[in-house]
Amino acid sequence: MVAEGSGMARLRKKLRQLESNYFIFPDAENGAFHQYDAEHVCKAFDDMGVKYQCVRHRCRIVVTECLMRDDTESGNMMLDFLLQVSHFRKTAPPKLQKQVLDYIKSADCCDPRDEGGELILNSDCDAVIVHKSAD
């Protein structure tokens, strides 16, 4: 699951704040899909008294191409994948594009540039391992 505090988790939260008319987020209260991160699951297990272990997997994605080079097909496809939106660069208003791209480039989402100048998105994941009781 997406790790709480990762750049990817922060990006998902930011997208909800930016433009609810552009990004489609199903309503969890009406039984539709809702994206939870590992923190939500661990809290639920804590509330139920279920024993579990949470293991962090460090994951980094080089996102330079989708942020700095908007004329590449692979960069556009990567951006669409990260945002879970088809043809973001073609369909999103310019102001929204700037807000989203600036946020992804920020320290909230990306680690400091590596020696090669690449932008690296923190996309850590948590594995939540539930311990079966002996009962």
mmCIF file of all heavy atoms in Angstrom, residues 24-44:
data_model
loop_
_atom_site.group_PDB
_atom_site.id
_atom_site.type_symbol
_atom_site.label_atom_id
_atom_site.label_comp_id
_atom_site.label_asym_id
_atom_site.label_seq_id
_atom_site.Cartn_x
_atom_site.Cartn_y
_atom_site.Cartn_z
ATOM 1 N N ILE A 24 -11.419 13.070 -10.634
ATOM 2 C CA ILE A 24 -12.620 12.358 -10.193
ATOM 3 C C ILE A 24 -12.254 11.451 -9.023
ATOM 4 O O ILE A 24 -11.433 10.551 -9.152
ATOM 5 C CB ILE A 24 -13.206 11.521 -11.342
ATOM 6 C CG1 ILE A 24 -13.604 12.442 -12.493
ATOM 7 C CG2 ILE A 24 -14.387 10.690 -10.862
ATOM 8 C CD1 ILE A 24 -13.986 11.716 -13.759
ATOM 9 N N PHE A 25 -12.867 11.731 -7.883
ATOM 10 C CA PHE A 25 -12.632 10.919 -6.696
ATOM 11 C C PHE A 25 -13.973 10.357 -6.245
ATOM 12 O O PHE A 25 -14.820 11.098 -5.755
ATOM 13 C CB PHE A 25 -12.010 11.757 -5.580
ATOM 14 C CG PHE A 25 -10.653 12.271 -5.939
ATOM 15 C CD1 PHE A 25 -10.475 13.593 -6.313
ATOM 16 C CD2 PHE A 25 -9.557 11.428 -5.937
ATOM 17 C CE1 PHE A 25 -9.219 14.058 -6.657
ATOM 18 C CE2 PHE A 25 -8.302 11.887 -6.276
ATOM 19 C CZ PHE A 25 -8.129 13.204 -6.637
ATOM 20 N N PRO A 26 -14.181 9.062 -6.433
ATOM 21 C CA PRO A 26 -15.445 8.459 -6.010
ATOM 22 C C PRO A 26 -15.716 8.707 -4.531
ATOM 23 O O PRO A 26 -14.801 8.851 -3.739
ATOM 24 C CB PRO A 26 -15.228 6.971 -6.288
ATOM 25 C CG PRO A 26 -14.164 6.930 -7.330
ATOM 26 C CD PRO A 26 -13.271 8.108 -7.028
ATOM 27 N N ASP A 27 -16.962 8.730 -4.199
ATOM 28 C CA ASP A 27 -17.404 9.040 -2.845
ATOM 29 C C ASP A 27 -17.447 7.765 -2.002
ATOM 30 O O ASP A 27 -18.276 6.891 -2.217
ATOM 31 C CB ASP A 27 -18.792 9.673 -2.932
ATOM 32 C CG ASP A 27 -19.323 10.114 -1.588
ATOM 33 O OD1 ASP A 27 -18.635 9.923 -0.568
ATOM 34 O OD2 ASP A 27 -20.428 10.655 -1.561
ATOM 35 N N ALA A 28 -16.561 7.663 -1.025
ATOM 36 C CA ALA A 28 -16.483 6.476 -0.177
ATOM 37 C C ALA A 28 -17.747 6.306 0.667
ATOM 38 O O ALA A 28 -18.130 5.192 0.985
ATOM 39 C CB ALA A 28 -15.264 6.551 0.730
ATOM 40 N N GLU A 29 -18.403 7.410 1.011
ATOM 41 C CA GLU A 29 -19.589 7.311 1.855
ATOM 42 C C GLU A 29 -20.738 6.620 1.135
ATOM 43 O O GLU A 29 -21.625 6.072 1.755
ATOM 44 C CB GLU A 29 -20.016 8.707 2.312
ATOM 45 C CG GLU A 29 -19.015 9.334 3.267
ATOM 46 C CD GLU A 29 -19.398 10.749 3.664
ATOM 47 O OE1 GLU A 29 -20.509 11.193 3.327
ATOM 48 O OE2 GLU A 29 -18.572 11.402 4.303
ATOM 49 N N ASN A 30 -20.728 6.643 -0.184
ATOM 50 C CA ASN A 30 -21.783 5.987 -0.957
ATOM 51 C C ASN A 30 -21.377 4.609 -1.430
ATOM 52 O O ASN A 30 -21.942 4.073 -2.364
ATOM 53 C CB ASN A 30 -22.168 6.864 -2.161
ATOM 54 C CG ASN A 30 -22.830 8.145 -1.711
ATOM 55 O OD1 ASN A 30 -23.544 8.157 -0.718
ATOM 56 N ND2 ASN A 30 -22.587 9.221 -2.416
ATOM 57 N N GLY A 31 -20.357 4.032 -0.803
ATOM 58 C CA GLY A 31 -19.948 2.675 -1.125
ATOM 59 C C GLY A 31 -18.980 2.570 -2.284
ATOM 60 O O GLY A 31 -18.626 1.476 -2.691
ATOM 61 N N ALA A 32 -18.550 3.681 -2.838
ATOM 62 C CA ALA A 32 -17.622 3.645 -3.962
ATOM 63 C C ALA A 32 -16.195 3.488 -3.459
ATOM 64 O O ALA A 32 -15.910 3.622 -2.273
ATOM 65 C CB ALA A 32 -17.757 4.919 -4.793
ATOM 66 N N PHE A 33 -15.306 3.217 -4.379
ATOM 67 C CA PHE A 33 -13.897 2.996 -4.066
ATOM 68 C C PHE A 33 -13.274 4.238 -3.425
ATOM 69 O O PHE A 33 -13.523 5.351 -3.844
ATOM 70 C CB PHE A 33 -13.156 2.658 -5.357
ATOM 71 C CG PHE A 33 -11.684 2.471 -5.163
ATOM 72 C CD1 PHE A 33 -11.197 1.334 -4.556
ATOM 73 C CD2 PHE A 33 -10.793 3.422 -5.588
ATOM 74 C CE1 PHE A 33 -9.840 1.146 -4.382
ATOM 75 C CE2 PHE A 33 -9.428 3.253 -5.424
ATOM 76 C CZ PHE A 33 -8.958 2.112 -4.818
ATOM 77 N N HIS A 34 -12.447 4.021 -2.410
ATOM 78 C CA HIS A 34 -11.699 5.092 -1.766
ATOM 79 C C HIS A 34 -10.273 4.602 -1.592
ATOM 80 O O HIS A 34 -10.057 3.464 -1.195
ATOM 81 C CB HIS A 34 -12.300 5.442 -0.406
ATOM 82 C CG HIS A 34 -11.542 6.500 0.324
ATOM 83 N ND1 HIS A 34 -11.620 7.822 -0.018
ATOM 84 C CD2 HIS A 34 -10.682 6.430 1.355
ATOM 85 C CE1 HIS A 34 -10.822 8.525 0.798
ATOM 86 N NE2 HIS A 34 -10.250 7.690 1.635
ATOM 87 N N GLN A 35 -9.301 5.453 -1.884
ATOM 88 C CA GLN A 35 -7.912 5.043 -1.736
ATOM 89 C C GLN A 35 -7.452 5.258 -0.308
ATOM 90 O O GLN A 35 -7.440 6.372 0.189
ATOM 91 C CB GLN A 35 -7.022 5.840 -2.683
ATOM 92 C CG GLN A 35 -7.226 5.456 -4.119
ATOM 93 C CD GLN A 35 -6.264 6.196 -5.019
ATOM 94 O OE1 GLN A 35 -5.888 7.307 -4.748
ATOM 95 N NE2 GLN A 35 -5.886 5.555 -6.092
ATOM 96 N N TYR A 36 -7.074 4.171 0.322
ATOM 97 C CA TYR A 36 -6.552 4.231 1.673
ATOM 98 C C TYR A 36 -5.049 4.012 1.615
ATOM 99 O O TYR A 36 -4.544 3.343 0.729
ATOM 100 C CB TYR A 36 -7.176 3.135 2.544
ATOM 101 C CG TYR A 36 -8.645 3.340 2.788
ATOM 102 C CD1 TYR A 36 -9.591 2.661 2.041
ATOM 103 C CD2 TYR A 36 -9.071 4.219 3.763
ATOM 104 C CE1 TYR A 36 -10.945 2.853 2.271
ATOM 105 C CE2 TYR A 36 -10.423 4.418 3.990
ATOM 106 C CZ TYR A 36 -11.356 3.740 3.240
ATOM 107 O OH TYR A 36 -12.685 3.938 3.469
ATOM 108 N N ASP A 37 -4.356 4.575 2.582
ATOM 109 C CA ASP A 37 -2.928 4.278 2.682
ATOM 110 C C ASP A 37 -2.737 3.352 3.878
ATOM 111 O O ASP A 37 -3.683 3.003 4.585
ATOM 112 C CB ASP A 37 -2.084 5.560 2.767
ATOM 113 C CG ASP A 37 -2.457 6.450 3.935
ATOM 114 O OD1 ASP A 37 -2.829 5.923 5.004
ATOM 115 O OD2 ASP A 37 -2.364 7.676 3.795
ATOM 116 N N ALA A 38 -1.500 2.936 4.083
ATOM 117 C CA ALA A 38 -1.211 1.964 5.135
ATOM 118 C C ALA A 38 -1.605 2.482 6.517
ATOM 119 O O ALA A 38 -2.001 1.697 7.379
ATOM 120 C CB ALA A 38 0.263 1.586 5.100
ATOM 121 N N GLU A 39 -1.489 3.778 6.744
ATOM 122 C CA GLU A 39 -1.847 4.334 8.047
ATOM 123 C C GLU A 39 -3.312 4.064 8.377
ATOM 124 O O GLU A 39 -3.645 3.732 9.522
ATOM 125 C CB GLU A 39 -1.565 5.836 8.076
ATOM 126 C CG GLU A 39 -1.886 6.451 9.425
ATOM 127 C CD GLU A 39 -1.640 7.945 9.465
ATOM 128 O OE1 GLU A 39 -2.186 8.679 8.626
ATOM 129 O OE2 GLU A 39 -0.888 8.360 10.358
ATOM 130 N N HIS A 40 -4.204 4.182 7.395
ATOM 131 C CA HIS A 40 -5.625 3.905 7.626
ATOM 132 C C HIS A 40 -5.832 2.448 8.055
ATOM 133 O O HIS A 40 -6.580 2.164 8.983
ATOM 134 C CB HIS A 40 -6.440 4.166 6.351
ATOM 135 C CG HIS A 40 -6.541 5.593 5.962
ATOM 136 N ND1 HIS A 40 -5.770 6.137 4.962
ATOM 137 C CD2 HIS A 40 -7.313 6.590 6.425
ATOM 138 C CE1 HIS A 40 -6.069 7.410 4.829
ATOM 139 N NE2 HIS A 40 -6.999 7.716 5.716
ATOM 140 N N VAL A 41 -5.165 1.545 7.364
ATOM 141 C CA VAL A 41 -5.314 0.118 7.651
ATOM 142 C C VAL A 41 -4.757 -0.206 9.038
ATOM 143 O O VAL A 41 -5.396 -0.910 9.825
ATOM 144 C CB VAL A 41 -4.611 -0.727 6.564
ATOM 145 C CG1 VAL A 41 -4.607 -2.198 6.934
ATOM 146 C CG2 VAL A 41 -5.286 -0.509 5.221
ATOM 147 N N CYS A 42 -3.582 0.318 9.353
ATOM 148 C CA CYS A 42 -2.973 0.052 10.664
ATOM 149 C C CYS A 42 -3.835 0.600 11.791
ATOM 150 O O CYS A 42 -3.990 -0.043 12.838
ATOM 151 C CB CYS A 42 -1.558 0.622 10.715
ATOM 152 S SG CYS A 42 -0.411 -0.251 9.615
ATOM 153 N N LYS A 43 -4.423 1.771 11.592
ATOM 154 C CA LYS A 43 -5.305 2.344 12.609
ATOM 155 C C LYS A 43 -6.522 1.435 12.833
ATOM 156 O O LYS A 43 -6.928 1.191 13.970
ATOM 157 C CB LYS A 43 -5.756 3.753 12.240
ATOM 158 C CG LYS A 43 -6.633 4.370 13.333
ATOM 159 C CD LYS A 43 -7.032 5.776 12.996
ATOM 160 C CE LYS A 43 -7.929 6.427 14.024
ATOM 161 N NZ LYS A 43 -8.676 5.609 14.927
ATOM 162 N N ALA A 44 -7.083 0.924 11.753
ATOM 163 C CA ALA A 44 -8.233 0.019 11.877
ATOM 164 C C ALA A 44 -7.849 -1.240 12.647
ATOM 165 O O ALA A 44 -8.593 -1.700 13.517
ATOM 166 C CB ALA A 44 -8.773 -0.339 10.492
#
